[in-house]
Amino acid sequence: MKKALIALAVIIIICAGWFAMKPASGPSANADTIKIGVYLPITGGNAVGGGLELDGVNLAYEEQKEVLGKKIELIVVDNKSDKVEAANAVKRLISKEKVNAIVGTYGSSLAMAGGDVAEKNGIPMVGTSCTNPMVTQGKKYSFRVAFIDPFQGAGASQYALDELKAKTAACLIEVTTDYSVGLASFFEDHFTKNGGKIVAKLNYQSGDQDFTAQLTEIISKNPDVLYIPANFAEAAIIMRQARELGAKFEILGGDATDNPEIVKIAGKACEGYSFTTFAYAPEMPEMNETQKAFTESWKKLYKDKLPNALAACGYDAYSIIIDAIKRAGSAEPEKIQEALAKTVDFPGVTGKTTINATHDAEKSIGIMRIVGGERKFYKVVDPK
């Protein structure tokens, strides 16, 4: 018995020493390095958008590699355009990489999946272009630099009513994504409350290539405008098929079509196409100092690419985290969260950003049009 007690005491002493020697499990374990995680779709269906945003994050990182006298380590994980992979990516960033804060992601459904994990672990996350209200709803640690879909849908409707003089509209909705369903609903709500009439609502599913049946029915209703809250590839195909069927109505979409590839896919069929996006484009007639500096820095780092609004979102998301760390005087996740929640008039590339009570960005909406085969910044809209 005595020997057993002695052996037990030795084991307890050894275990106590082992636990004492273990490094801290939180993100502040390495006092000399601040870790910023990034989870974006680098592969899969959302890879183009994720890649554009990553370009913006990388540019911001090149400009700010240190904060509070400490080196910043940028850790990028591919969420593979999949909800489960998005959650797993955030788990890895938190449990293995011990990040202090996270940037991401493109795709509202991916942001929701990743945001749930960040919330449970108390790690602040700043979304890039994820616009669904559910991304931040009820969450303490989730923020975004994007406007939300109720505002974007209303902005598209305002533009349709005021600029396109539309009295009737049709919607073609991708029913398997929160983005498309939500945006169509907010567009319809604003449009009908302000005197417009929805004459047709048709659905399709992700991956569909043939929209002729839906478009034929929509054409028979003769709307003034067709609203397509689609991704850029599907929107391009829809436009091409609509024009082949003889459609004459205006076509309007959302920020997921803010991609240079849309012109290549749609060809002449996208001429006159308008879409809501974030209030930045390299050809804007008037730029603030932040936008000018971003554009010049981009041209130096990415000589063969044009800057774009999605890249600007990535740049702003990283930059606003660094700004919060500076204002907090700390890289502790809780301190970063508190500083992010107090953000007012942050001078971002996509405009001055104030984080409101629901952790969403308050900012204006940009309208782009395709004219002469080129994407042109048209105007800024603030829906009534």
Side-chain angles (χ1 to χ4, degrees):
M1 181 69 177
K2 190 173 183 180
K3 289 182 180 179
L5 289 172
I6 292 171
L8 180 60
V10 170
I11 292 170
I12 291 171
I13 291 168
I14 291 172
C15 288
W18 181 77
F19 281 113
M21 290 186 292
K22 282 186 71 178
S25 60
S28 59
N30 186 344
D32 297 325
T33 304
I34 294 172
K35 295 185 176 183
I36 305 297
V38 180
Y39 81 118
L40 286 168
I42 311 304
T43 58
N46 294 321
V48 175
L52 293 172
E53 292 186 353
L54 183 57
D55 286 340
V57 173
N58 284 332
L59 176 56
Y61 174 65
E62 287 298 315
E63 294 179 352
Q64 298 190 81
K65 289 186 175 181
E66 292 186 0
V67 64
L68 303 182
K70 298 178 182 180
K71 177 184 176 182
I72 299 172
E73 182 179 352
L74 192 69
I75 302 164
V76 180
V77 179
D78 181 9
N79 65 39
K80 302 178 183 179
S81 305
D82 180 85
K83 294 179 185 179
V84 174
E85 292 293 342
N88 289 337
V90 175
K91 287 177 185 176
R92 175 184 163 185
L93 288 171
I94 294 171
S95 62
K96 181 181 178 181
E97 305 296 348
K98 315 296 184 188
V99 297
N100 300 74
I102 299 173
V103 173
T105 176
Y106 179 98
S108 291
S109 59
L110 305 177
M112 290 180 219
D116 287 341
V117 178
E119 190 71 16
K120 290 175 184 176
N121 288 274
I123 300 297
M125 175 182 291
V126 177
T128 45
S129 62
C130 42
T131 53
N132 190 287
M134 294 295 291
V135 170
T136 56
Q137 193 169 87
K139 291 187 173 68
K140 176 181 177 181
Y141 294 93
S142 287
F143 301 83
R144 68 178 117 206
V145 295
F147 44 61
I148 58 175
D149 284 338
F151 191 66
Q152 181 179 193
S157 167
Q158 195 76 56
Y159 174 77
L161 292 163
D162 293 346
E163 298 290 326
L164 303 181
K165 306 302 179 185
K167 297 187 185 313
T168 59
C171 298
L172 185 52
I173 307 160
E174 205 279 79
V175 291
T176 57
T177 67
D178 299 319
Y179 171 83
S180 188
V181 173
L183 209 49
S185 174
F186 300 126
F187 173 88
E188 177 182 0
D189 183 62
H190 184 276
F191 192 73
T192 53
K193 283 182 178 178
N194 286 274
K197 181 180 179 182
I198 302 296
V199 295
K201 286 195 295 183
L202 281 298
N203 300 328
Y204 68 94
Q205 295 191 4
S206 180
D208 285 356
Q209 298 288 305
D210 185 359
F211 305 94
T212 54
Q214 295 97 319
L215 288 168
T216 298
E217 183 172 345
I218 289 169
I219 290 170
S220 72
K221 302 296 183 181
N222 194 32
D224 296 320
V225 63
L226 170 62
Y227 185 54
I228 50 171
N231 68 42
F232 75 96
E234 289 166 344
I237 297 170
I238 289 168
M239 284 187 276
R240 197 172 64 226
Q241 292 180 0
R243 298 313 182 202
E244 288 171 353
L245 290 169
K248 303 297 182 183
F249 45 65
E250 298 275 0
I251 303 179
L252 175 62
D255 65 292
T257 60
D258 188 1
N259 192 303
E261 296 296 315
I262 196 169
V263 178
K264 296 179 183 178
I265 300 171
K268 293 181 180 179
C270 68
E271 185 67 20
Y273 173 65
S274 304
F275 57 93
T276 49
T277 188
F278 305 96
Y280 168 78
E283 73 278 2
M284 290 175 71
E286 295 182 11
M287 286 192 182
N288 61 38
E289 293 305 312
T290 303
Q291 292 166 334
K292 290 177 184 176
F294 170 81
T295 305
E296 291 305 311
S297 296
W298 178 280
K299 291 177 181 177
K300 292 175 184 176
L301 187 63
Y302 302 114
K303 294 180 174 60
D304 298 325
K305 298 180 183 179
L306 288 174
N308 55 81
L310 289 179
C313 287
Y315 183 96
D316 283 352
Y318 177 89
S319 300
I320 209 167
I321 288 174
I322 304 307
D323 176 70
I325 292 172
K326 290 177 181 176
R327 286 187 285 112
S330 170
E332 290 293 330
E334 197 68 29
K335 298 295 185 183
I336 298 173
Q337 187 279 337
E338 292 171 1
L340 284 169
K342 296 175 182 176
T343 300
V344 176
D345 287 342
F346 173 78
V349 179
T350 56
K352 284 187 177 181
T353 300
T354 293
I355 300 298
N356 62 21
T358 53
H359 293 182
D360 304 316
E362 294 182 351
K363 57 177 54 173
S364 298
I365 295 170
I367 299 288
M368 299 278 286
R369 285 179 66 89
I370 297 177
V371 181
E374 295 183 1
R375 297 153 68 250
K376 301 287 187 182
F377 191 85
Y378 184 66
K379 67 179 300 182
V380 171
V381 171
D382 289 300
K384 301 170 185 175

